[in-house]
Amino acid sequence: MRNGIRRIGEGAEAQIFETSMFGTDVIAKIRQPKAYRIAELDRELRRSRTRKEAKAMLRARNNGVNAPALLALGEYSIYMEKTRGRLLKDAKPGIGIYAKIGSELAKLHDADIAHGDFTPANIMLHGNGVCIIDFGLSDITKSVEDKALDLLLVKRAVKKEEFKALLCSYIKKYEDSRQVLDRLADIERRGRYQTRTLA
Ligand SMILES: Nc1ncnc2c1ncn2[C@@H]1O[C@H](COP(=O)(O)OP(=O)(O)OP(=O)(O)O)[C@@H](O)[C@H]1O
Ligand SMILES: [Mg+2]
């Protein structure tokens, strides 16, 4: 990006722009007002969600997770380093990449960050590795359930053997993985039970 600012996306909560600062490509994530919310509440929600997202992203980086560097923070805006590469959902990488994803998730969970939206739409392939983006639904928490939900989300989104590779490195790198895996099995059992009783 040489000049100006270009809108590259619009999510449920925020608009995403690409721009440049001091010669570096930058992504700006800006939370827009929602007309259906009371104005004061809307500002407070956007402020707190922006802060929460920035905090999780920063904590991830500080704990060695490959996540974009936070460059600047406004009341409703986050300016971050642009990651070069494609989203996992738009690519067909070799199985080896899933071990790297498992290792990033292990680092997140070890730092007590539950990503909250750990899907191929929020994982970028970057060089030979991966970069985790979109901490908009992240929580700083010790919750085993929240961590298990990260695994469940990605399990549902990738192929069996891809998840297996991811899980293998997750288990190797995260000391408390046993508890999370047990909870994942519980959640899946609950899910099956619900489906059976609803049927
Ligand atoms: N640091 C980044 N580098 C490169 N591209 C990015 C970066 N951050 C976001 N993007 C691009 O913008 C898209 C949307 O960003 P993001 O996933 O953070 O928000 P969202 O999912 O639209 O928002 P929300 O979480 O509010 O629903 C990504 O799918 C990706 O293509
Ligand atoms: Mg996203």
Side-chain angles (χ1 to χ4, degrees), residues 167-182:
L167 206 53
C168 241
S169 80
Y170 176 80
I171 291 169
K172 257 189 234 150
K173 301 250 162 65
Y174 181 37
E175 227 174 63
D176 297 334
S177 62
R178 189 70 262 161
Q179 289 178 54
V180 182
L181 288 184
D182 287 349

Side-chain angles (χ1 to χ4, degrees), residues 84-136:
R84 297 192 178 284
R86 294 163 70 180
L87 293 170
L88 176 61
K89 76 173 177 66
D90 300 325
K92 278 200 184 347
I95 195 89
I97 215 71
Y98 290 90
K100 292 183 177 171
I101 296 170
S103 149
E104 295 309 310
L105 188 62
K107 284 186 263 175
L108 280 171
H109 287 181
D110 200 33
D112 285 334
I113 302 165
H115 183 276
D117 198 11
F118 200 68
T119 68
N122 291 323
I123 298 168
M124 291 188 76
L125 306 181
H126 173 59
N128 293 324
V130 296
C131 179
I132 310 303
I133 62 165
D134 194 358
F135 291 81

Side-chain angles (χ1 to χ4, degrees), residues 12 27 41 50 61 65 73 79 103 105 111 123 130-131 153 156:
I27 296 290
L41 177 69
T50 301
R61 279 278 291 198
V65 176
L73 184 60
Y79 294 82
S103 149
L105 188 62
I123 298 168
V130 296
C131 179
L153 216 56
R156 287 185 174 166

Side-chain angles (χ1 to χ4, degrees), residues 11-13 16 27 29 68 80-83 87 122 124 134:
E13 287 258 331
I16 311 285
I27 296 290
K29 188 166 177 177
M80 68 188 102
E81 174 189 31
K82 179 184 175 188
T83 303
L87 293 170
N122 291 323
M124 291 188 76
D134 194 358

